[in-house]
Amino acid sequence: MNIVHGDLCIRNAESADCAQLARWWNDGSVMAHAGFPGGLGTTAEKIQEQIQKDSDETKRRLIIEHKGSAIGEMSYYNRGNSMAEIGIKICNTDYQEKGLGRVLLSMLIGELFSMGYRQIILDTNLNNTRAQHVYEMLGFQKVRINENSWTNQVGEVQSSVDYALTHDNFVDWSAK
């Protein structure tokens, strides 16, 4: 995958990205919202093994670039029945809260719909209201709230919210 829109690019993660991904994934400030305030404790080598198994048919880890510099990551997973699950992290804080998330998500979602997916799903921490606002701007609908459904790395019980999006409800911010 290689999607370009202005200064933004979403591309497949490669071997050369593993060290950067390891830095982000081991940084508790980047990973706290995902339940890992202490980071993942992984290595570039382990990430390389994961990336080698990626395919367009199963799942992809993706790198987000702004003017050629990596600023974050995305992913999609084929969940069957023409459904893809997605995720996004803008890891460089200088690029957060700039409106890039909705454009980047629009780029990925548009590509996934063009690949034949009919539904896009995702979940987020119930406390992550900033992300929920972005998802709802894109047309995602809340499917369910999962109260006290998981425990983060430091033992705090967390809740999550599940979202789903169909092409008919999709608001494409990359076209604006």
Side-chain angles (χ1 to χ4, degrees):
M1 182 173 289
N2 189 44
I3 313 165
V4 177
H5 178 75
D7 293 336
L8 299 172
C9 176
I10 302 169
R11 62 170 177 78
N12 291 348
E14 304 168 347
S15 297
D17 300 310
C18 293
Q20 178 63 68
L21 286 168
R23 281 191 295 277
W24 286 334
W25 293 359
N26 291 326
D27 182 339
S29 66
V30 172
M31 297 302 294
H33 79 281
F36 298 94
L40 292 182
T42 192
T43 65
E45 293 76 23
K46 287 180 185 174
I47 295 168
Q48 172 66 30
E49 290 173 16
Q50 294 171 1
I51 287 174
Q52 287 177 336
K53 296 175 187 170
D54 283 1
S55 75
D56 290 343
E57 293 76 33
T58 58
K59 68 177 177 290
R60 280 275 179 211
R61 273 163 272 279
L62 306 163
I63 298 296
I64 302 167
E65 293 180 339
H66 180 266
K67 295 184 179 180
S69 295
I71 64 167
E73 60 152 329
M74 299 178 93
S75 62
Y76 75 89
Y77 297 83
N78 181 343
R79 296 299 187 201
N81 297 320
S82 300
M83 181 187 312
E85 182 175 357
I86 63 172
I88 181 173
K89 276 195 283 308
I90 298 177
C91 302
N92 183 326
T93 57
D94 292 341
Y95 294 91
Q96 294 175 355
E97 298 191 34
K98 306 275 188 229
L100 295 177
R102 66 178 174 233
V103 174
L104 289 159
L105 285 163
S106 291
M107 292 165 61
L108 177 61
I109 291 165
E111 182 69 16
L112 292 171
F113 282 140
S114 75
M115 291 169 61
Y117 289 99
R118 292 193 309 263
Q119 185 178 46
I120 311 297
I121 61 171
L122 57 80
D123 63 36
T124 191
N125 190 302
L126 188 59
N127 295 326
N128 193 348
T129 56
R130 186 178 80 194
Q132 290 175 55
H133 175 72
V134 172
Y135 302 147
E136 290 168 13
M137 288 176 63
L138 290 161
F140 278 91
Q141 305 292 311
K142 281 185 184 175
V143 175
R144 98 184 109 265
I145 295 175
N146 307 295
E147 295 285 344
N148 303 318
S149 57
W150 61 286
T151 303
N152 72 10
Q153 190 177 46
V154 294
E156 299 165 332
V157 176
Q158 303 288 307
S159 298
S160 65
V161 57
D162 296 340
Y163 281 96
L165 175 70
T166 60
H167 192 271
D168 289 343
N169 293 328
F170 178 41
V171 179
D172 186 352
W173 286 87
S174 67
K176 296 184 187 286

